Amino acid sequence: MTTWNVKIGINPISWMNDDLPSLGGETPLETALKEGAEIGYVGFELGNKFPKDAPALNAVLGKYHLACVSGWYSGRLAQRSVEEEIAAVGPHLRLLADSGATVMVYGEVADAIQGEARPLYKRPRFQS
């Protein structure tokens, strides 16, 4: 029989949505952390309701015996130089490292229209 040493973390999107804050916007971070720990998750990916400094983040996660497993970063490498992107991501990487995370989720968002209140007919279209 094979034994797996697997620990599972979760993104808080199951409780609240960073892209559409009205979905779960009233849900306190502590509710997500408490419920996540109760159902067996060992860590959380960061979201907009998490503290942005490592001591406060570690304290709130520690209260529920949870780890910081990752954190999304909205990159803009398509609009800036590698050096500028490295400088911009620095504080986020420091927060993750100081909180014990070894993984960062990087998403390129340059020129994205997500979250803009723009009618469909005014949105960019692919040309064939």
Side-chain angles (χ1 to χ4, degrees):
M1 176 179 190
T2 302
T3 303
W4 299 90
N5 183 17
V6 176
K7 298 175 184 177
I8 300 176
I10 191 166
N11 182 291
I13 199 165
S14 298
W15 290 267
M16 59 203 69
N17 190 307
D18 285 358
D19 296 318
L20 190 56
S22 61
L23 294 176
E26 72 288 348
T27 304
L29 175 61
E30 291 73 17
T31 297
L33 298 177
K34 179 180 175 289
E35 291 177 359
E38 286 174 353
I39 58 178
Y41 292 106
V42 299
F44 271 77
E45 179 180 336
L46 302 180
N48 66 7
K49 292 186 180 183
F50 286 78
K52 303 295 188 251
D53 65 278
L57 176 60
N58 292 332
V60 73
L61 290 171
K63 181 178 176 183
Y64 301 96
H65 307 288
L66 294 165
C68 174
V69 298
S70 185
W72 171 275
Y73 178 75
S74 295
R76 288 175 167 65
L77 188 55
Q79 295 173 333
R80 52 187 171 202
S81 70
V82 171
E83 293 78 16
E84 291 170 320
E85 186 70 4
I86 289 171
V89 75
H92 183 67
L93 287 174
R94 175 60 41 214
L95 174 62
L96 292 175
D98 289 350
S99 300
T102 58
V103 174
M104 178 185 77
V105 179
Y106 182 97
E108 180 62 42
V109 299
D111 299 321
I113 61 167
Q114 183 173 349
E116 290 183 18
R118 189 185 299 186
L120 286 175
Y121 72 92
K122 290 187 176 181
R123 293 184 181 189
R125 298 172 192 245
F126 290 105
Q127 301 296 320
S128 53

